[in-house]
Amino acid sequence: LGLPPLSHPEFQARVARLTAKVSDPNQGFFPRKSLFWKLTGQNVNMLLGLFPLLLQLAHPPVANTLTATNAFKRNPLVRGLETYLGTGKIISGNVREATEEANFLFKMHTNIVGGYATDPASILWVDQTLIVAGHQFYETFVGPLSPDEVAGSYEESKSFAALFGVPEEIIP
């Protein structure tokens, strides 16, 4: 897509804009009644944890970066669990917890040298694998989603993408 990675100040400014929109900081960015939380905040989503990892590995730049990291080399399942727990903090945590985790992930990705960890298109791919997994899990184990629910969760997922450092310009 040709966009440069976000700088840390740009990322912080986007997180600050998202934070300003939150009506109840204790509920976090995704209140329990939100569609996005309904689809992705379920604890049993961990059952589907390998699905997004497989999708991520299907994208060559993401796969090259992921498999080059020491954490993945040591134990890919533990690395997947760490991703699950981190995204869980962003989805289910209060604003402080979610912001701390988003900052941690942003800094961790900027410290990965020689890969695509900060490439906007690659981050978008990883973000979308998590969204697709949430939808798949829900429709497989809970029930079908109405078109309005799919559209609503999509709108809410834009905040999730921004918390991962996806530039607003490329969020579909």
Side-chain angles (χ1 to χ4, degrees):
L1 297 171
L3 286 176
L6 291 177
S7 68
H8 194 255
E10 290 171 316
F11 177 73
Q12 292 288 50
R14 289 174 188 222
V15 171
R17 284 195 301 276
L18 286 173
T19 301
K21 295 178 185 178
V22 172
S23 59
D24 181 356
N26 291 320
Q27 285 285 309
F29 292 99
F30 307 101
R32 303 308 174 258
K33 293 181 180 180
S34 73
L35 290 165
F36 188 76
W37 195 90
K38 176 180 172 180
L39 299 175
T40 60
Q42 310 287 333
N43 287 333
V44 284
N45 249 350
M46 189 172 179
L47 295 172
L48 209 56
L50 291 178
F51 179 58
L53 180 60
L54 292 173
L55 289 174
Q56 292 165 19
L57 290 171
H59 189 284
V62 173
N64 290 338
T65 301
L66 186 60
T67 58
T69 63
N70 288 331
F72 190 87
K73 287 179 184 176
R74 280 192 303 274
N75 191 330
L77 292 177
V78 169
R79 178 63 187 89
L81 178 62
E82 290 169 346
T83 297
Y84 169 77
L85 294 172
T87 57
K89 288 179 187 175
I90 292 172
I91 295 166
S92 302
N94 62 38
V95 168
R96 183 189 53 77
E97 294 164 339
T99 302
E100 286 174 2
E101 187 65 21
N103 278 304
F104 169 77
L105 291 172
F106 185 85
K107 288 176 186 173
M108 181 183 68
H109 287 146
T110 57
N111 289 330
I112 296 174
V113 178
Y116 290 85
T118 58
D119 171 57
S122 296
I123 297 170
L124 178 63
W125 176 266
V126 171
D127 168 73
Q128 292 301 297
T129 67
L130 300 170
I131 305 304
V132 167
H135 281 230
Q136 283 291 327
F137 173 84
Y138 193 88
E139 290 196 323
T140 300
F141 296 104
V142 179
L145 296 166
S146 72
D148 287 344
E149 287 175 315
V150 172
S153 70
Y154 162 72
E155 285 304 315
E156 293 172 0
S157 76
K158 291 178 180 180
S159 295
F160 184 72
L163 290 165
F164 267 83
V166 178
E168 293 160 350
E169 306 88 86
I170 67 166
I171 296 173

